[in-house]
Amino acid sequence: MYSDQHFTNREISWLSFNERVLQEAEDPNTPLFERIRFIGIFSNNLDEFFRVRVATVRRMVDLGKDEENLLGNYTPRDLHDKIQEIVISQQNKVQEIFKNIFEELRENNIFLINEKELNHAHGVFVKKYFYETVLPNLVPIMLNKKNKFPYLRDRSAYLAVKLSQKSDPEDYAYSLIRIPGRSVPRFLVLPKNGKKKYVIMLDDVIRFCLNDLFFYFDYDVHEAYTIKITRDAELDIDDDISKSFMEKMSHSLKKRKTGKPVRLLYDREMPDDLRNFIFKKIKIDAEENAIPGGRYHNHKDFMEFPEIGKKKHYYPKLPPFLHKDLRPNTSVLKIIRRKDVMLHYPYQTFNHFIDFLREAAIDPQVKEIGITIYRVASNSKVVNALLNAIRNGKAVTVVIELQARFDEEANIFWSNKLQEEGANVINGVPGMKVHSKLAWVKRKENNTYKNYAYIGTGNFHEGTARVYADDGLMTSDPRLADEVEKVFEFFKHNYKQFNYKHLIVSPFYMRDFFNECIDREIELARKGKKAWMILKMNSLIAPRMMKKLYQANQEGVKIQLIVRGIFGMQVGIKGLSENISAISIVDKYLEHSRIFLFGNGGNERMFISSADWMPRNLNRRIEVACPIYDKEIKAELKEMLQIQLKDNVKARILDPELLNKYNTGTPGKKYRAQEDYYNFIKSKHHIVMKIYHNPRCAKSRAGLKYLEEKGYDIEIKKYLIDGLTEGELKEIISKTGEKPVTFVRTQEKEYKENYKGKNLSDEEWIKVLAEYPRLLQRPIVVNGNKAVLANPPENVEEII
């Protein structure tokens, strides 16, 4: 079934998204070393795309029919050919971008050199490094027509070597060497020469030392060309009922490593005889699956390019900060007992969630903890907190999705580890993936039980929380937390079905719910009332949801879409989508949050969700969308949406032609959403306390100690040394709301001799305090537009 109903094909749209990543590498305004990193991201994305999506298309070609509803009026063969055409074009662009980057590196006295450009000193250094570090990891395989061609590992880069003699070119041999990308760094930093810095790739270290590797043979010409194979990564799980699901997964993962080749990248300079020999041996169709490239493959390794640049070559560091309500030595459960807390990553620290779990693990009143795990860090603090909870006697339920693509092996490891410690581990739900991001704590309070919950848009992964833009709600609101408990009850007993009044759970009724929200806007538009929605997600490709949005457009509903990745709609077409606009933001952080905002006749409804609008999320996954009830949190998220819609630096317009033009927006002022939102959230949550401090005063020292223990960033003003202007004093005292006379130290000798009993005006007292700062009460603490005399120190809480 091939659809031409004004939809863009999923695969073509994804390639357009990866083109946006490539634009970041191409953009001269992107810092130099960040451009290098984006090349790595682009390459890594493309690897996964071929392993999964192109592999699926290949199966459709082989079967002669489509397994899915292909949008965009493509047959499987047409789609496969179009993908190849786009990828080859993008690979050519990568080579051009590399040339520009290398030139800019040279302008900055940084040289990425090859084996032919080494001077004598560098050659000696490389030889020593080769013998000590590289050679123990190399096992060359000699190739010939009789022997079976060796197995090529998925995503590994190899050097295909041709050995020959100058005097007799017909006397030659072939060999294959796997470049040891894991055990040896891909880049070697060479000794500096004055201000000049040098880097050589591992590939060229091996090329430089080929003679040392093949000294057994009587050949004097050594040529080496890079090849890389990508294999089908889909898991075929058998139906043997005698095996556990864990056994089936483990078996399928082993089979993945020998999956069918779906792409062979090769150096276009490779001699015809060597290329034809390899193609024939691995039985790959040169026209369908082979893509010519440059001298180096596995560009994903450029994400780990050595950090030898200057400060200007990197994005400015935007360190995550604390939530204003979650200071150090503060009970997280106590805070969320009285109010909801929303965390915005990576702008705020993921440590708050770790603190939430750690507190639950040691709180004697906590009886049970539940969590869903899709991806976690390799040395996961989240899992460590769960293990400690088990050791402290808590009942711990962990729902681990074993089919989280490319994290299957890690999740099997954690599943076994948690079960060994005594956790109740649930390996997903039969027939569905568990993709929801939930944590749940059950605590005994006042002879009953109270639920606490975390509902998020991203994984419980402290690594990705530093680079993925996500949101997570911590709440004890029974409307939400009690329903999270119901979701975990469903995980434990799949036969139990619940009616949810607040949470929206797929695949049960998320699609219907959001259709109802859209219908409400359509109804308002038909009545001539203001009707609108702002929808932010990673991917929008579900045909029925897209048709619903087209319908809303035709009724006059204004729709603004923020979609990072796959986007199947064609907007701006009169009679179909003229009321719909769509942008995609690709910047230093990966946009990952899903936020849905509906006008609802003035009574706005907002939701965060773990789910995109894709068939898999709505039909085959356990996902949760959560309404936002707290007005302050709703305002923070709405501000995010408004800031992103204004972006005219990193936002691209999603148009039917897939041109990826930048959203220029309002001329004259630059809006960069991620930096602007960081500053917005920082202004609300990042508290810098300015303390007017006298180190010789015990009360002042007590105030400073209190601020330090609370974990605030502190600016210390030693006013007796630095002095105070009248203007500064007037501003400080006005922020307290008190009269200047309130801050006069009446026990001081200067006061008793000169001012006792005098009735001075506010302006006169300001002059006195500026002239004699020793008369000023201390310590005064200022937070933004508020100030207080921190005596006792607890008074500081009044200005938070």
Side-chain angles (χ1 to χ4, degrees), residues 14 16-25 27 30 37-38 41-42 45 315 536 538 562-566 583-592 644 647 649-654 660 662 672-674:
W14 185 92
S16 182
F17 153 68
N18 214 28
E19 179 81 22
R20 296 193 283 278
V21 175
L22 198 55
Q23 284 180 329
E24 291 299 294
D27 185 353
T30 302
R37 187 174 66 88
F38 274 111
I41 295 170
F42 168 85
N45 288 348
Y315 284 132
K536 178 184 188 307
N538 297 323
I562 306 168
V563 183
R564 171 178 55 86
I566 301 167
I583 61 168
S584 170
I585 295 173
V586 176
D587 200 352
K588 64 179 74 175
Y589 304 129
L590 184 137
E591 289 294 332
H592 196 252
Q644 293 207 336
D647 190 307
V649 176
K650 293 297 181 181
R652 279 71 150 185
I653 297 169
L654 297 177
N660 283 329
Y662 284 86
R672 187 170 179 178
Q674 291 182 351

Side-chain angles (χ1 to χ4, degrees), residues 520-562:
R520 169 68 174 147
E521 299 305 318
I522 291 173
E523 181 184 336
L524 289 166
R526 286 173 177 168
K527 292 178 179 178
K529 297 181 179 180
K530 192 173 181 180
W532 58 272
M533 64 190 82
I534 304 173
L535 311 176
K536 178 184 188 307
M537 62 195 97
N538 297 323
S539 298
L540 172 53
I541 198 69
R544 281 188 281 167
M545 299 307 295
M546 293 190 290
K547 287 179 181 178
K548 194 71 179 177
L549 292 176
Y550 283 148
Q551 179 191 350
N553 167 88
Q554 290 161 356
E555 297 289 350
V557 179
K558 182 181 179 182
I559 303 168
Q560 293 172 289
L561 302 172
I562 306 168

Side-chain angles (χ1 to χ4, degrees), residues 228-245:
K228 184 181 91 168
I229 202 159
T230 307
R231 296 184 180 277
D232 186 338
E234 281 297 287
L235 298 180
D236 293 317
I237 302 172
D238 64 49
D239 297 322
D240 186 348
I241 61 173
S242 67
K243 296 180 183 177
S244 69
F245 187 65

Side-chain angles (χ1 to χ4, degrees), residues 514 517 521 532-533 535 596-600 604-605 607:
F514 283 124
C517 291
E521 299 305 318
W532 58 272
M533 64 190 82
L535 311 176
F596 306 100
L597 176 60
F598 299 91
N600 195 40
E604 296 174 4
R605 302 184 73 185
F607 307 86

Side-chain angles (χ1 to χ4, degrees), residues 46 50 54 83-89 91-92 226 228 262-268 279 284-294 297:
L46 199 58
F50 268 86
V54 178
I83 290 170
Q84 292 291 85
E85 176 190 329
I86 294 172
V87 169
I88 290 172
S89 173
Q91 294 285 14
N92 291 334
T226 314
K228 184 181 91 168
V262 292
R263 178 180 62 158
L264 176 71
L265 274 175
Y266 66 93
D267 185 341
R268 60 169 56 87
F279 285 4
I284 196 161
D285 188 312
E287 291 186 5
E288 289 191 349
N289 296 329
I291 298 176
H297 302 321

Side-chain angles (χ1 to χ4, degrees), residues 420-534:
E420 288 168 7
E421 291 281 347
N424 173 27
V425 175
I426 300 168
N427 294 134
V429 174
M432 288 181 279
K433 279 188 179 181
V434 177
H435 192 250
S436 53
K437 320 299 182 185
L438 302 175
W440 161 63
V441 170
K442 189 171 189 175
R443 188 175 189 270
K444 191 170 185 180
E445 298 176 11
N446 301 323
N447 296 319
T448 186
Y449 289 99
K450 183 174 182 63
N451 288 312
Y452 299 80
Y454 175 100
I455 307 164
T457 67
N459 294 306
F460 297 118
H461 191 305
E462 52 265 36
T464 58
R466 290 193 291 269
V467 291
Y468 282 30
D470 272 306
D471 301 287
L473 178 70
M474 292 198 286
T475 182
S476 66
D477 185 332
R479 292 174 293 181
L480 303 174
D482 290 357
E483 292 198 350
V484 170
E485 181 186 22
K486 289 182 179 180
V487 177
F488 276 92
E489 189 65 20
F490 165 74
F491 289 143
K492 295 175 188 176
H493 310 287
N494 296 162
Y495 56 84
K496 288 188 176 182
Q497 297 289 327
F498 298 95
N499 292 320
Y500 301 95
K501 295 181 180 179
H502 302 277
L503 296 183
I504 303 97
V505 183
S506 76
F508 307 118
Y509 58 93
M510 185 178 287
R511 181 193 299 277
D512 291 343
F513 178 84
F514 283 124
N515 274 329
E516 289 169 8
C517 291
I518 298 170
D519 282 334
R520 169 68 174 147
E521 299 305 318
I522 291 173
E523 181 184 336
L524 289 166
R526 286 173 177 168
K527 292 178 179 178
K529 297 181 179 180
K530 192 173 181 180
W532 58 272
M533 64 190 82
I534 304 173

